[in-house]
Amino acid sequence: MTERGWQRARLDEIPPSGLAADRAYWRQWARDPSYPRVWRSIRHYFGLTGFGVNAVEANAGEELVVPHDELDFGGQEELYLVLRGRALFVCDGEEVEVREGELLSVRPHVKREARALETPTILFMVGGVPGGAYQPWPGDSLGVSS
């Protein structure tokens, strides 16, 4: 954050950083060997510590969200916003299509994954722990994971 207390950036200028910058980190979950094709470490970029926030971009058919739930990752609930394109989520086995401008809220226990349905699809993701302060993910360069 700057001395003036605010900072502006273009999403396409924000690079991946921390654990997300290492493709090897994703291999334990990702089905696509090139995942993530484009990752934006928004929280890292701005030095945010109150909540996790990232963005990911994929082409049609590519993974946007790797299969997971949040029970082993601090118990975060997540909010997804499709900024561009369309995404097909699978939440506890149920398919949910999320279109541009639509939001999807997912509780920590729900097993979720998503693929892009259009090229490009850009997904904005925010995470936080229900009823509590945001908890950093261990091993992260800022001390937080998302």
mmCIF file of all heavy atoms in Angstrom, residues 13-35:
data_model
loop_
_atom_site.group_PDB
_atom_site.id
_atom_site.type_symbol
_atom_site.label_atom_id
_atom_site.label_comp_id
_atom_site.label_asym_id
_atom_site.label_seq_id
_atom_site.Cartn_x
_atom_site.Cartn_y
_atom_site.Cartn_z
ATOM 1 N N GLU A 13 -2.081 -6.298 -15.198
ATOM 2 C CA GLU A 13 -0.696 -5.972 -14.842
ATOM 3 C C GLU A 13 -0.252 -6.641 -13.539
ATOM 4 O O GLU A 13 0.897 -6.523 -13.143
ATOM 5 C CB GLU A 13 -0.541 -4.461 -14.706
ATOM 6 C CG GLU A 13 -0.753 -3.725 -16.016
ATOM 7 C CD GLU A 13 -0.770 -2.206 -15.858
ATOM 8 O OE1 GLU A 13 -0.825 -1.707 -14.712
ATOM 9 O OE2 GLU A 13 -0.726 -1.533 -16.894
ATOM 10 N N ILE A 14 -1.164 -7.338 -12.866
ATOM 11 C CA ILE A 14 -0.838 -7.966 -11.583
ATOM 12 C C ILE A 14 -0.302 -9.372 -11.840
ATOM 13 O O ILE A 14 -0.994 -10.210 -12.427
ATOM 14 C CB ILE A 14 -2.074 -8.004 -10.667
ATOM 15 C CG1 ILE A 14 -2.525 -6.574 -10.358
ATOM 16 C CG2 ILE A 14 -1.768 -8.779 -9.385
ATOM 17 C CD1 ILE A 14 -3.803 -6.479 -9.555
ATOM 18 N N PRO A 15 0.934 -9.642 -11.401
ATOM 19 C CA PRO A 15 1.542 -10.954 -11.664
ATOM 20 C C PRO A 15 1.178 -11.976 -10.581
ATOM 21 O O PRO A 15 0.690 -11.619 -9.504
ATOM 22 C CB PRO A 15 3.038 -10.633 -11.592
ATOM 23 C CG PRO A 15 3.112 -9.557 -10.551
ATOM 24 C CD PRO A 15 1.865 -8.718 -10.764
ATOM 25 N N PRO A 16 1.475 -13.244 -10.853
ATOM 26 C CA PRO A 16 1.362 -14.244 -9.785
ATOM 27 C C PRO A 16 2.530 -14.059 -8.821
ATOM 28 O O PRO A 16 3.605 -13.611 -9.215
ATOM 29 C CB PRO A 16 1.468 -15.573 -10.528
ATOM 30 C CG PRO A 16 2.260 -15.258 -11.753
ATOM 31 C CD PRO A 16 1.918 -13.828 -12.110
ATOM 32 N N SER A 17 2.316 -14.380 -7.554
ATOM 33 C CA SER A 17 3.410 -14.306 -6.590
ATOM 34 C C SER A 17 3.171 -15.306 -5.468
ATOM 35 O O SER A 17 2.118 -15.936 -5.397
ATOM 36 C CB SER A 17 3.559 -12.887 -6.039
ATOM 37 O OG SER A 17 2.377 -12.458 -5.428
ATOM 38 N N GLY A 18 4.165 -15.455 -4.602
ATOM 39 C CA GLY A 18 4.068 -16.428 -3.519
ATOM 40 C C GLY A 18 3.952 -17.834 -4.077
ATOM 41 O O GLY A 18 4.471 -18.146 -5.146
ATOM 42 N N LEU A 19 3.235 -18.681 -3.361
ATOM 43 C CA LEU A 19 3.070 -20.075 -3.772
ATOM 44 C C LEU A 19 2.407 -20.204 -5.136
ATOM 45 O O LEU A 19 2.708 -21.108 -5.908
ATOM 46 C CB LEU A 19 2.237 -20.825 -2.729
ATOM 47 C CG LEU A 19 2.857 -20.968 -1.347
ATOM 48 C CD1 LEU A 19 1.844 -21.547 -0.373
ATOM 49 C CD2 LEU A 19 4.104 -21.823 -1.405
ATOM 50 N N ALA A 20 1.481 -19.308 -5.446
ATOM 51 C CA ALA A 20 0.733 -19.385 -6.705
ATOM 52 C C ALA A 20 1.611 -19.210 -7.937
ATOM 53 O O ALA A 20 1.247 -19.619 -9.027
ATOM 54 C CB ALA A 20 -0.378 -18.340 -6.714
ATOM 55 N N ALA A 21 2.780 -18.609 -7.778
ATOM 56 C CA ALA A 21 3.674 -18.372 -8.907
ATOM 57 C C ALA A 21 4.415 -19.634 -9.345
ATOM 58 O O ALA A 21 4.978 -19.679 -10.434
ATOM 59 C CB ALA A 21 4.684 -17.280 -8.552
ATOM 60 N N ASP A 22 4.389 -20.656 -8.515
ATOM 61 C CA ASP A 22 5.105 -21.892 -8.799
ATOM 62 C C ASP A 22 4.120 -22.947 -9.297
ATOM 63 O O ASP A 22 3.300 -23.450 -8.528
ATOM 64 C CB ASP A 22 5.808 -22.368 -7.532
ATOM 65 C CG ASP A 22 6.612 -23.638 -7.725
ATOM 66 O OD1 ASP A 22 6.695 -24.149 -8.867
ATOM 67 O OD2 ASP A 22 7.163 -24.126 -6.725
ATOM 68 N N ARG A 23 4.174 -23.295 -10.570
ATOM 69 C CA ARG A 23 3.236 -24.286 -11.128
ATOM 70 C C ARG A 23 3.333 -25.630 -10.411
ATOM 71 O O ARG A 23 2.353 -26.363 -10.333
ATOM 72 C CB ARG A 23 3.469 -24.462 -12.620
ATOM 73 C CG ARG A 23 2.970 -23.271 -13.382
ATOM 74 C CD ARG A 23 2.489 -23.647 -14.741
ATOM 75 N NE ARG A 23 1.852 -22.461 -15.303
ATOM 76 C CZ ARG A 23 1.878 -22.130 -16.554
ATOM 77 N NH1 ARG A 23 2.483 -22.906 -17.409
ATOM 78 N NH2 ARG A 23 1.282 -21.046 -16.973
ATOM 79 N N ALA A 24 4.488 -25.935 -9.879
ATOM 80 C CA ALA A 24 4.642 -27.198 -9.151
ATOM 81 C C ALA A 24 3.727 -27.240 -7.929
ATOM 82 O O ALA A 24 3.260 -28.313 -7.538
ATOM 83 C CB ALA A 24 6.099 -27.384 -8.724
ATOM 84 N N TYR A 25 3.443 -26.088 -7.341
ATOM 85 C CA TYR A 25 2.547 -26.017 -6.188
ATOM 86 C C TYR A 25 1.165 -26.559 -6.534
ATOM 87 O O TYR A 25 0.522 -27.210 -5.718
ATOM 88 C CB TYR A 25 2.445 -24.565 -5.704
ATOM 89 C CG TYR A 25 1.360 -24.330 -4.682
ATOM 90 C CD1 TYR A 25 1.516 -24.753 -3.364
ATOM 91 C CD2 TYR A 25 0.175 -23.688 -5.030
ATOM 92 C CE1 TYR A 25 0.526 -24.544 -2.426
ATOM 93 C CE2 TYR A 25 -0.823 -23.471 -4.090
ATOM 94 C CZ TYR A 25 -0.640 -23.900 -2.790
ATOM 95 O OH TYR A 25 -1.626 -23.687 -1.871
ATOM 96 N N TRP A 26 0.694 -26.312 -7.745
ATOM 97 C CA TRP A 26 -0.662 -26.670 -8.154
ATOM 98 C C TRP A 26 -0.799 -28.126 -8.580
ATOM 99 O O TRP A 26 -1.908 -28.638 -8.695
ATOM 100 C CB TRP A 26 -1.114 -25.765 -9.303
ATOM 101 C CG TRP A 26 -1.189 -24.339 -8.895
ATOM 102 C CD1 TRP A 26 -0.297 -23.349 -9.207
ATOM 103 C CD2 TRP A 26 -2.197 -23.724 -8.100
ATOM 104 N NE1 TRP A 26 -0.697 -22.162 -8.655
ATOM 105 C CE2 TRP A 26 -1.856 -22.366 -7.961
ATOM 106 C CE3 TRP A 26 -3.357 -24.194 -7.482
ATOM 107 C CZ2 TRP A 26 -2.638 -21.476 -7.248
ATOM 108 C CZ3 TRP A 26 -4.127 -23.306 -6.760
ATOM 109 C CH2 TRP A 26 -3.763 -21.967 -6.651
ATOM 110 N N ARG A 27 0.304 -28.829 -8.838
ATOM 111 C CA ARG A 27 0.249 -30.189 -9.394
ATOM 112 C C ARG A 27 -0.532 -31.174 -8.532
ATOM 113 O O ARG A 27 -1.119 -32.119 -9.040
ATOM 114 C CB ARG A 27 1.660 -30.723 -9.627
ATOM 115 C CG ARG A 27 2.294 -30.104 -10.832
ATOM 116 C CD ARG A 27 3.578 -30.803 -11.226
ATOM 117 N NE ARG A 27 4.284 -29.949 -12.157
ATOM 118 C CZ ARG A 27 5.536 -29.574 -12.017
ATOM 119 N NH1 ARG A 27 6.248 -29.997 -10.997
ATOM 120 N NH2 ARG A 27 6.091 -28.783 -12.899
ATOM 121 N N GLN A 28 -0.543 -30.964 -7.226
ATOM 122 C CA GLN A 28 -1.251 -31.892 -6.344
ATOM 123 C C GLN A 28 -2.767 -31.837 -6.521
ATOM 124 O O GLN A 28 -3.473 -32.763 -6.134
ATOM 125 C CB GLN A 28 -0.875 -31.624 -4.893
ATOM 126 C CG GLN A 28 -1.138 -30.208 -4.434
ATOM 127 C CD GLN A 28 -0.510 -29.917 -3.090
ATOM 128 O OE1 GLN A 28 -0.575 -30.735 -2.188
ATOM 129 N NE2 GLN A 28 0.096 -28.748 -2.952
ATOM 130 N N TRP A 29 -3.287 -30.764 -7.121
ATOM 131 C CA TRP A 29 -4.730 -30.624 -7.301
ATOM 132 C C TRP A 29 -5.144 -30.510 -8.766
ATOM 133 O O TRP A 29 -6.208 -30.981 -9.140
ATOM 134 C CB TRP A 29 -5.258 -29.373 -6.590
ATOM 135 C CG TRP A 29 -4.957 -29.326 -5.141
ATOM 136 C CD1 TRP A 29 -5.508 -30.106 -4.162
ATOM 137 C CD2 TRP A 29 -4.028 -28.465 -4.494
ATOM 138 N NE1 TRP A 29 -4.978 -29.773 -2.944
ATOM 139 C CE2 TRP A 29 -4.068 -28.770 -3.114
ATOM 140 C CE3 TRP A 29 -3.162 -27.473 -4.943
ATOM 141 C CZ2 TRP A 29 -3.283 -28.108 -2.186
ATOM 142 C CZ3 TRP A 29 -2.380 -26.807 -4.017
ATOM 143 C CH2 TRP A 29 -2.447 -27.139 -2.660
ATOM 144 N N ALA A 30 -4.360 -29.830 -9.566
ATOM 145 C CA ALA A 30 -4.758 -29.490 -10.941
ATOM 146 C C ALA A 30 -4.797 -30.714 -11.842
ATOM 147 O O ALA A 30 -3.937 -31.589 -11.765
ATOM 148 C CB ALA A 30 -3.828 -28.439 -11.520
ATOM 149 N N ARG A 31 -5.784 -30.734 -12.711
ATOM 150 C CA ARG A 31 -5.862 -31.780 -13.737
ATOM 151 C C ARG A 31 -5.144 -31.325 -15.000
ATOM 152 O O ARG A 31 -4.644 -32.147 -15.753
ATOM 153 C CB ARG A 31 -7.317 -32.097 -14.039
ATOM 154 C CG ARG A 31 -8.009 -32.746 -12.856
ATOM 155 C CD ARG A 31 -9.451 -33.062 -13.153
ATOM 156 N NE ARG A 31 -10.049 -33.701 -11.996
ATOM 157 C CZ ARG A 31 -11.273 -33.459 -11.582
ATOM 158 N NH1 ARG A 31 -12.045 -32.614 -12.229
ATOM 159 N NH2 ARG A 31 -11.750 -34.083 -10.530
ATOM 160 N N ASP A 32 -5.127 -30.009 -15.245
ATOM 161 C CA ASP A 32 -4.422 -29.457 -16.404
ATOM 162 C C ASP A 32 -2.969 -29.194 -16.022
ATOM 163 O O ASP A 32 -2.709 -28.448 -15.080
ATOM 164 C CB ASP A 32 -5.052 -28.130 -16.852
ATOM 165 C CG ASP A 32 -6.451 -28.287 -17.428
ATOM 166 O OD1 ASP A 32 -6.853 -29.431 -17.716
ATOM 167 O OD2 ASP A 32 -7.131 -27.263 -17.585
ATOM 168 N N PRO A 33 -2.002 -29.782 -16.742
ATOM 169 C CA PRO A 33 -0.595 -29.586 -16.380
ATOM 170 C C PRO A 33 -0.125 -28.136 -16.496
ATOM 171 O O PRO A 33 0.840 -27.756 -15.842
ATOM 172 C CB PRO A 33 0.172 -30.480 -17.354
ATOM 173 C CG PRO A 33 -0.807 -30.968 -18.348
ATOM 174 C CD PRO A 33 -2.188 -30.677 -17.865
ATOM 175 N N SER A 34 -0.814 -27.320 -17.283
ATOM 176 C CA SER A 34 -0.403 -25.922 -17.438
ATOM 177 C C SER A 34 -1.136 -24.973 -16.484
ATOM 178 O O SER A 34 -0.996 -23.770 -16.591
ATOM 179 C CB SER A 34 -0.626 -25.467 -18.875
ATOM 180 O OG SER A 34 -1.995 -25.549 -19.205
ATOM 181 N N TYR A 35 -1.913 -25.534 -15.532
ATOM 182 C CA TYR A 35 -2.644 -24.684 -14.587
ATOM 183 C C TYR A 35 -1.689 -24.005 -13.630
ATOM 184 O O TYR A 35 -0.759 -24.625 -13.151
ATOM 185 C CB TYR A 35 -3.651 -25.512 -13.775
ATOM 186 C CG TYR A 35 -4.481 -24.659 -12.852
ATOM 187 C CD1 TYR A 35 -5.648 -24.071 -13.300
ATOM 188 C CD2 TYR A 35 -4.091 -24.407 -11.549
ATOM 189 C CE1 TYR A 35 -6.416 -23.270 -12.470
ATOM 190 C CE2 TYR A 35 -4.852 -23.606 -10.713
ATOM 191 C CZ TYR A 35 -6.002 -23.048 -11.181
ATOM 192 O OH TYR A 35 -6.755 -22.237 -10.360
#
